[in-house]
């Protein structure tokens, strides 16, 4: 088999680039211990029913007036559903999953996060008054398309 000189150069260059890219991925994953970026808080997904926070998901108001919503995503549903929060106030979401990776997107807002088994995802956002649809945007199984929830932002009286 006769391979031209310039073809050899391109084959070696392509092989070198492929080795460089794969090496970068392996070294990056090994040095970062393959954790999601951002704040790292872990929870045992097999013991969520015993966990003080995630065993009773819901909307809670803290003593300082801030609102925290604890959400559990599992088996094609979000708990609680619907979620009622005050409008025009910062709301902190803390979510995790007990089974597989799920998405948590409040449609029409910038609220978009992942619920990963073993990790707690946290973000804070404010809502204008109204009803919002919550959707899972990570394929989580055959009934993924039915994993929809509702968020209601009510004005204070």
């Amino acid at each position: 088999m006769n391979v031209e000189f310039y073809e050899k150069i391109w084959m070696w260059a392509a092989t070198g680039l492929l080795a460089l890219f794969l090496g970068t991925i392996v070294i990056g994953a090994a040095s970062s211990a393959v954790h999601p970026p951002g704040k790292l808080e872990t929870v045992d997904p097999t013991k969520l029913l015993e966990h003080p926070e995630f065993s009773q998901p819901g909307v809670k108001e803290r003593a300082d007036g801030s609102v925290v919503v604890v959400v559990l995503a599992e088996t094609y549903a979000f708990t609680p559903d619907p979620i009622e929060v005050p409008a025009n106030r910062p709301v902190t979401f803390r979510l995790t999953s007990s089974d597989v990776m799920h998405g948590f997107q409040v449609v029409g807002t910038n609220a978009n996060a992942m619920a990963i088994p073993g990790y707690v995802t946290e973000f804070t956002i404010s809502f204008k008054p109204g009803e919002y649809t919550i959707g899972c945007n990570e394929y989580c199984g055959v009934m993924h398309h039915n994993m929809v929830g509702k968020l209601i932002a009510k004005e204070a009286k």
Side-chain angles (χ1 to χ4, degrees), residues 48 71-79 95-100 102-104 115 147:
L48 288 178
V71 178
L72 183 60
E74 59 182 346
T75 318
Y76 317 122
F78 298 104
T79 305
L95 55 130
T96 191
S97 169
S98 64
D99 48 15
V100 297
H102 295 280
F104 184 86
M147 190 165 179

Side-chain angles (χ1 to χ4, degrees), residues 8-156:
K8 288 180 182 176
I9 291 174
W10 283 110
M11 287 181 355
W12 281 109
T15 303
L17 284 173
L18 184 62
L20 177 70
F21 294 147
L22 290 175
T24 302
I25 291 170
V26 170
I27 291 171
S31 67
S32 300
V34 192
H35 289 296
K39 179 182 167 188
L40 182 62
E41 183 178 344
T42 59
V43 61
D44 185 353
T46 62
K47 296 182 179 176
L48 288 178
L49 294 177
E50 303 163 14
H51 192 272
E53 185 177 22
F54 289 101
S55 62
Q56 297 178 345
V59 180
K60 298 169 179 117
E61 188 163 337
R62 292 179 176 158
D64 64 356
S66 63
V67 176
V68 177
V69 180
V70 177
V71 178
L72 183 60
E74 59 182 346
T75 318
Y76 317 122
F78 298 104
T79 305
D81 185 36
I83 299 171
E84 291 187 19
V85 296
N88 302 316
R89 283 176 53 190
V91 177
T92 299
F93 286 86
R94 292 178 49 80
L95 55 130
T96 191
S97 169
S98 64
D99 48 15
V100 297
M101 191 179 310
H102 295 280
F104 184 86
Q105 180 178 18
V106 182
V107 178
T109 69
N110 289 335
N112 187 6
M114 294 172 64
I116 304 170
Y119 294 95
V120 177
T121 303
E122 183 176 317
F123 65 93
T124 301
I125 189 168
S126 296
F127 297 97
K128 294 178 182 174
E131 289 190 11
Y132 299 88
T133 300
I134 301 171
C136 176
N137 56 11
E138 294 289 332
Y139 181 74
C140 55
V142 292
M143 298 299 289
H144 163 74
H145 61 282
N146 285 338
M147 190 165 179
V148 178
K150 183 188 287 186
L151 184 139
I152 302 167
K154 291 183 175 180
E155 284 198 64

